[in-house]
Amino acid sequence: MVGLLLGSLFGGAISDRYGKRPVLLVCVCLHAVCGLVPAILPQPHLFLAIRCLTGVCCCCINICSFSLVVEWTLPAARLWPPAFLPFCFSLGTMGGAPLAWLSSTWRQLHLSLALPQLICLPLYLSIPESPRWLLLKRRTAALDSYRSNSPADKHCLDLLLDSAWSDLQKAAEAQEEPPPGGHAPSDIMQLRHPTILLRLFIMSYLSAASALTYFGICMNIGSFGVGVYSAQFFSGLSEAPCLLIPLVRLGRRPLSMLALFLSGAACFLSLLLSRYNAKPELVMSLALLGKLCILAATFISILYSIELFPTVVRQRCVSLVNLCFRLGCLVNSLVPPNPNGAISLAAMVVYSSGPIVGCSLCLLLPETSGVPLPDSVEDCDRQPRPPSMSALWRTRKLVSSQTRKTEIPPAEKDDTHSGLI
C-alpha cells in the first residue's frame, strides 16, 4: 500500500513530462522482475522492499493504461475500455484463488505469477503514445507515423484530434511561454481555478470513499463465515458483471450516483443482517453486491476524472485523485480487526455512509458523456453544467405560474378584463 501511495505521488508528473508509453513500458518490465525476485531470493526484508517497488509500478501502470486507452477511444465508445480492464482484473482475482490452493509453497506461487508476465513483455512494445500528449509536445513526426500505419488509423486519429487541434496548439504555445513568475499557467494557474478545485475535491472524496468500501470488503472477505478460497473466488466473480455497465444507457453522472447509492445500501443491509445472525452466505452476497457497485463507481470515476480535467493538467489531477484512493487503501490496512474476526460496526457504517455522501456530491458535476475531452479550463467551463438551486427554483415558479394561467376559465378572464376597463 505504501508503494501504491508513492506511485500516486509521482506517477502522473513523470508521465506528463516523459510520456505515458515510456513510463508504462518501464513499469511493466520492473513489475515482472519484481514478481520473479521473491521466488529466487526469499529474504524477508528484500521481500518487503520488492513489494513496495511492485506497488509503485502497479500504480503507474494503472494511471498510464487507463489514460491511454481512454484517449485512443472515440467519445461514443469511451466507456467500454475502462469496463474491460476491471473485468480482466476480476479474472485475475478469480484465478488467484485456485492458483494459491494448488501451490504448495510461496515460491511456486510467485513463479506461476511472474513467468507469464515475462513471456508477454514483447507485446507491450506495440502500445502507442497518447496522441493529445504528442500534439501538446509538438511531436508531429510520431503523429505522422501513426497516420501512415493504415487508412483506419489515420481516420481514427483525425477524429480524435479534429475538435481539439487548435485548442491544443494554443495550450502548447502557452506552455512554452511561462510568465515572469517562473511557472507556466498550465502547471499552476489552471490547478488553482475554482472549477478545477471543485472537481478535484469531489473526485478525491469519491476515490477515498470507494477505496475504503472496496478494500474494506476485500481485506475482510474471510470474515463472513465462508471458506477463504471460495470467498476469494466469488469475490472476483462478483466483479465480472462490470463488463455490462456500458450497456446501461445512462450518462456518467446518473450512473455514478446509482452505483454509489446501491453500494451504500447493500453494505448497510449486510450490516443489519449480520447483527440479526442471518446466514453467512446472504450477508456475504450483500457485501459482494456492494463491492460490485463500488467497483463500477470506481472505474466510472476514473473515466469521469479523465473527462473532467483539461489535457495540460489531466495526468496530475488524475494522480491526485488516485493519491486519495491510495490513502483510503492505506487507512484500511491500519484498521484493527475485531477479536472474533468479524468486521467492526464502525467500519461497516463508514463503508455504507461514504458512498451515499458521494452520491449527493455528484450533483455538482457536469455530464461528460459523448463530449470531447477538454484541453483547457475554458473547455471545462463550456461543459454542460448541472442546474443550480436558484435556477431550479425559478423554473419551478415559472411552471407554476403558467399552470395557474392555464387553469383560469375564459369567462373569468373576460370578467377580469371588463372590470379593469
Side-chain angles (χ1 to χ4, degrees), residues 62-197:
N62 287 336
I63 292 173
C64 296
S65 60
F66 269 95
S67 294
L68 281 174
V69 76
V70 170
E71 292 188 14
W72 272 102
T73 305
L74 296 176
R78 204 181 286 158
L79 195 59
W80 280 103
F84 184 72
L85 294 183
F87 173 74
C88 296
F89 184 85
S90 69
L91 293 180
T93 305
M94 287 166 33
L99 198 61
W101 184 73
L102 292 172
S103 300
S104 58
T105 62
W106 281 100
R107 177 171 294 182
Q108 292 182 3
L109 180 60
H110 278 287
L111 282 174
S112 60
L113 293 173
L115 291 178
Q117 297 184 60
L118 293 172
I119 294 174
C120 293
L121 282 180
L123 298 177
Y124 297 106
L125 296 176
S126 61
I127 297 177
E129 182 55 90
S130 164
R132 290 172 174 263
W133 184 87
L134 291 173
L135 186 58
L136 185 62
K137 298 297 182 180
R138 298 200 172 193
R139 300 188 179 181
T140 55
L143 290 173
D144 292 337
S145 66
Y146 291 153
R147 282 193 177 93
S148 62
N149 289 336
S150 68
D153 288 346
K154 182 179 183 302
H155 179 67
C156 178
L157 192 58
D158 290 339
L159 288 177
L160 289 170
L161 296 180
D162 182 58
S163 62
W165 187 275
S166 60
D167 290 336
L168 273 174
Q169 286 190 342
K170 293 177 182 177
E173 292 173 359
Q175 193 178 37
E176 290 181 355
E177 299 176 1
H183 295 286
S186 58
D187 295 330
I188 302 298
M189 299 305 295
Q190 297 208 31
L191 284 175
R192 294 179 179 176
H193 195 276
T195 300
I196 303 300
L197 289 178

Side-chain angles (χ1 to χ4, degrees), residues 308-320:
L308 283 172
F309 299 112
T311 301
V312 289
V313 293
R314 180 174 297 128
Q315 279 302 117
R316 299 191 183 190
C317 291
V318 171
S319 294
L320 289 174

Side-chain angles (χ1 to χ4, degrees), residues 252-324:
R252 307 286 187 261
R253 190 174 54 154
L255 198 55
S256 298
M257 295 176 64
L258 179 63
L260 289 168
F261 179 78
L262 290 178
S263 174
C267 291
F268 183 72
L269 288 176
S270 174
L271 172 63
L272 287 180
L273 292 178
S274 64
R275 296 299 161 184
Y276 288 99
N277 298 321
K279 290 185 178 181
E281 292 81 3
L282 179 60
V283 175
M284 190 185 75
S285 299
L286 284 172
L288 292 183
L289 175 61
K291 177 170 170 279
L292 166 64
C293 294
I294 204 64
L295 177 65
T298 299
F299 87 76
I300 295 171
S301 68
I302 294 174
L303 176 61
Y304 212 175
S305 299
I306 294 174
E307 295 176 340
L308 283 172
F309 299 112
T311 301
V312 289
V313 293
R314 180 174 297 128
Q315 279 302 117
R316 299 191 183 190
C317 291
V318 171
S319 294
L320 289 174
V321 172
N322 194 269
L323 170 63
C324 295

Side-chain angles (χ1 to χ4, degrees), residues 209-230:
S210 300
L212 284 171
T213 303
Y214 179 80
F215 282 98
I217 296 175
C218 286
M219 291 180 178
N220 295 278
I221 197 64
S223 62
F224 292 102
V226 183
V228 63
Y229 294 111
S230 301

